[in-house]
Amino acid sequence: MTPRLGSAGTMSPGHESTLLTRRNALALAAGAAIAGASDSAIAGPQGQLTWGIHVSLAPTWFDPAETSGLATPFMILYALQDAMLKPMPGQSFAPCLAESWTASEDLLSYEFVLRKGPTFHNGEPVTAEDVKFSFTRYRGASHDLMASRVASIEVLDPQRLRFHFKEPWPDFLTFYGQATGAGWIVPKKYVEKVGDDGYLKAPIGAGPYKFVSFNPGVELVLEANETYWRKTPSVKRLVFRVIPDEATRLAALSRGEVDIVYSIRGELAEELQRKPGLTLKPVVLAAPFWLSFVDQWDEKSPWHDERVRKAASLAIDREGINQALTLGYSKITGSIIPASFDMYWQPPMPARDPAKAKQLLAQAGHPRGFDAGELFCDASYANIAEAVLNNFAEVGIRIRLRPIERAAFLKSWGDKKYKNVVQGASGAFGNAATRLAAFIVGGGTYAYGSYPDIDELFEKQAAQLDQKKRSELLATIQQMVEERTVVAPIWQLAFINGIGPRVGESGFGLIPDFPYTAPYEDLTLKAT
């Protein structure tokens, strides 16, 4: 078997020498990480870091099998769990529980070699059986797509296993190591013993932190795993405290009750900037926001008319919302795919033209506008939706806001329970294909319908091994999505956070495009 690492971590023909060089670099980086533990880590983890979390934590985020195609669950997974490979500082596909991997010449199989030494929090070693079990148990985002492409998983010995595909799959690593939770490993024996419900109550992973307690709606407490293979964490205890209200989060940070807060916007962000001892931490993420017109395939819905969808997009004052809510840090975009993703196609920048929007509505038979029902959104980003609703009202689109707590919102969105319009967003890792698979292509976790010609092109690109031709097919799909206004993009979010005076290394920005503080084993407290 000849290893070949292409762009975005996928294997491609003709790059043997490149991969060997990169793989050696990966091994060196991993070795350096192990050897680079700080003096404080050698002395043992100390102290506590406390977060003010902007959403209510869901127990499903403890279990990789439940992972949605969004970034939120990885806020917990990076602490509690570990993966075969995952994005880490300086590496999109860092070898973690997997020491190395190789692809066959025909790209019909991948073989993984597990690192010797990592154990789960109960002391059991991580084995190839656990890896196979975790993949077959996975039921989260892109499950159907992955299951349809994997023919079998062969355990060769406790440290090696091989994935066999039904046809060449150039995007396997991207789905397995970035865009889903399928490559995050849970202990087979323990899960079979306690069951899925029992696992959510007392999760055991292989990550840098161990589960201590969870009080729903209040807080999650984790404690350092001092035998973590990469390095001993510096901080002894992590406390994730649920504080949904932004003003209350900022007040808790100001009083020193928490050390890190997520999502502080608008005037509160300006106030945070001015407070002595506090630091504003804006991070522009691979997290576009958009409006999804989930009824566009219903001929009886106004959203079925492309002119109505275009009118809605033209009504949105993206730049005004950006300045008001994220101090201008967010990036206006015309796509649901981040510009940093492989095979991204640059669309025209979305325009604001209320007069044109009214004209299109009149042409579509709505000269006085229309009642658009409800707009469903994650409650933590209701202020974005409120601003959009005000823009809609200016052109005659009357719609009511339905903010819903995040875990419930994501479940109902994925279960296809919403009507009219949904404010969507995703900060998951991946590439253009993974993002289209989840939100645009038929059968996608959050796709309420699809267009046959788009689905057909997507199937063609998935089997295309020529990277240039594949990029052209994906560019065509993205252009079709833009021209039909399948969605109305808003922006690529600037996640504005704050840290207090006790924090040394906060972790913000260490992993490119990741919204949260990771890797957790790299976080530090300032010496007192």
Side-chain angles (χ1 to χ4, degrees):
M1 302 181 76
T2 303
R4 303 186 232 129
L5 184 57
S7 62
T10 57
M11 297 287 181
S12 57
H15 293 81
E16 290 89 344
S17 60
T18 301
L19 170 65
L20 293 174
T21 301
R22 292 183 186 175
R23 207 168 121 197
N24 290 340
L26 293 180
L28 289 170
I34 297 171
S38 65
D39 292 341
S40 62
I42 293 171
Q46 300 174 5
Q48 174 176 303
L49 272 174
T50 304
W51 280 254
I53 301 294
H54 59 310
V55 295
S56 185
L57 299 172
T60 53
W61 300 343
F62 306 160
D63 187 349
E66 303 283 353
T67 308
S68 60
L70 306 168
T72 310
F74 293 91
M75 172 172 56
I76 305 302
L77 295 185
Y78 264 92
L80 187 61
Q81 306 286 354
D82 206 352
M84 293 287 279
L85 62 156
K86 63 180 185 278
M88 289 288 279
Q91 298 172 261
S92 297
F93 295 90
C96 294
L97 296 177
E99 182 178 74
S100 63
W101 52 87
T102 55
S104 62
E105 290 283 351
D106 54 12
L107 288 183
L108 282 172
S109 67
Y110 270 75
E111 183 173 317
F112 290 88
V113 177
L114 271 68
R115 188 182 302 277
K116 293 181 180 178
T119 62
F120 293 108
H121 299 152
N122 60 1
E124 294 179 357
V126 179
T127 70
E129 285 289 351
D130 298 305
V131 178
K132 178 180 179 179
F133 173 77
S134 298
F135 184 89
T136 55
R137 178 175 176 265
Y138 180 72
R139 49 187 175 268
S142 300
H143 163 268
D144 292 348
L145 184 150
M146 299 182 77
S148 71
R149 294 185 178 277
V150 175
S152 63
I153 302 174
E154 179 185 8
V155 173
L156 303 172
D157 61 45
Q159 299 300 124
R160 294 187 305 138
L161 77 162
R162 188 177 297 151
F163 285 76
H164 295 276
F165 310 131
K166 297 175 184 177
E167 58 186 28
W169 190 11
D171 259 354
F172 169 67
L173 282 189
T174 304
F175 277 94
Y176 189 60
Q178 283 190 338
T180 76
W184 293 71
I185 311 307
V186 297
K188 179 177 186 287
K189 291 179 182 177
Y190 178 72
V191 174
E192 289 180 336
K193 178 182 177 181
V194 302
D196 291 344
D197 291 341
Y199 187 78
L200 294 180
K201 294 175 183 176
I204 286 177
Y209 282 85
K210 299 181 287 187
F211 179 86
V212 175
S213 64
F214 176 58
N215 187 349
V218 180
E219 69 178 21
L220 168 69
V221 179
L222 305 177
E223 192 166 275
N225 172 15
E226 298 191 33
T227 62
Y228 185 54
W229 68 269
R230 180 174 175 255
K231 67 187 328 185
T232 300
S234 172
V235 181
K236 178 70 172 179
R237 178 164 286 214
L238 309 182
V239 178
F240 299 93
R241 191 165 296 159
V242 177
I243 310 177
D245 181 71
E246 284 185 55
T248 306
R249 281 199 300 282
L250 179 56
L253 182 67
S254 300
R255 292 192 295 264
E257 296 170 2
V258 301
D259 302 294
I260 301 172
V261 292
Y262 291 137
S263 190
I264 301 293
R265 296 165 288 190
E267 294 179 357
L268 291 174
E270 293 175 342
E271 180 182 339
L272 194 162
Q273 273 185 316
R274 295 191 298 266
K275 281 184 178 291
L278 304 186
T279 304
L280 190 74
K281 284 284 186 177
V283 183
V284 179
L285 311 174
F289 276 62
W290 65 89
L291 298 182
S292 182
F293 306 107
V294 297
D295 281 355
Q296 64 187 278
W297 294 276
D298 180 357
E299 294 182 1
K300 297 179 181 178
S301 170
W303 300 113
H304 182 68
D305 192 319
E306 186 179 308
R307 294 169 295 186
V308 174
R309 302 196 299 272
K310 286 186 182 298
S313 183
L314 288 167
I316 303 172
D317 181 7
R318 296 166 176 85
E319 191 54 53
I321 300 172
N322 184 14
Q323 293 296 330
L325 298 185
T326 58
L327 309 187
Y329 284 112
S330 291
K331 180 179 179 180
I332 306 302
T333 177
S335 177
I336 69 167
I337 297 167
S340 60
F341 274 19
D342 248 17
M343 296 171 289
Y344 165 81
W345 172 76
Q346 176 63 61
M349 292 302 290
R352 187 187 187 218
D353 191 338
K356 179 66 173 176
K358 291 179 181 179
Q359 182 183 355
L360 287 171
L361 288 175
Q363 292 173 1
H366 307 288
R368 295 185 177 85
F370 67 99
D371 186 342
E374 295 176 315
L375 189 157
F376 298 87
C377 75
D378 171 357
S380 61
Y381 289 103
N383 55 359
I384 302 174
E386 288 170 356
V388 169
L389 262 59
N390 290 335
N391 293 160
F392 278 5
E394 293 172 10
V395 301
I397 300 174
R398 300 176 295 276
I399 192 166
R400 300 177 299 281
L401 186 61
R402 279 289 304 278
I404 298 167
E405 184 275 322
R406 180 167 297 184
F409 168 76
L410 295 178
K411 185 177 189 309
S412 293
W413 186 18
D415 289 344
K416 316 292 194 297
K417 292 184 178 180
Y418 294 142
K419 299 283 290 179
N420 308 307
V421 184
V422 174
Q423 180 177 277
S426 175
F429 294 111
N431 62 19
T434 63
R435 192 58 61 86
L436 291 168
F439 297 98
I440 300 296
V441 177
T445 304
Y446 303 99
Y448 279 55
S450 65
Y451 292 93
D453 52 351
I454 288 178
D455 290 354
E456 182 180 351
L457 284 176
F458 189 82
E459 285 301 313
K460 286 183 179 179
Q461 69 79 30
Q464 179 57 255
L465 301 183
D466 184 298
Q467 190 77 349
K468 183 175 184 296
K469 293 179 180 178
R470 184 163 180 249
S471 294
E472 290 171 351
L473 288 169
L474 284 164
T476 299
I477 294 173
Q478 292 171 71
Q479 186 173 359
M480 293 164 71
V481 170
E482 190 273 333
E483 290 175 346
R484 297 176 188 179
T485 319
V486 178
V487 296
I490 300 173
W491 63 22
Q492 196 166 312
L493 177 69
F495 199 50
I496 300 181
N497 313 288
I499 62 173
R502 298 176 62 249
V503 181
E505 174 56 67
S506 69
F508 283 118
L510 291 184
I511 301 174
D513 293 337
F514 190 62
Y516 305 114
T517 52
Y520 287 98
E521 64 272 22
D522 288 348
L523 272 56
T524 64
L525 288 163
K526 289 180 179 177
T528 55

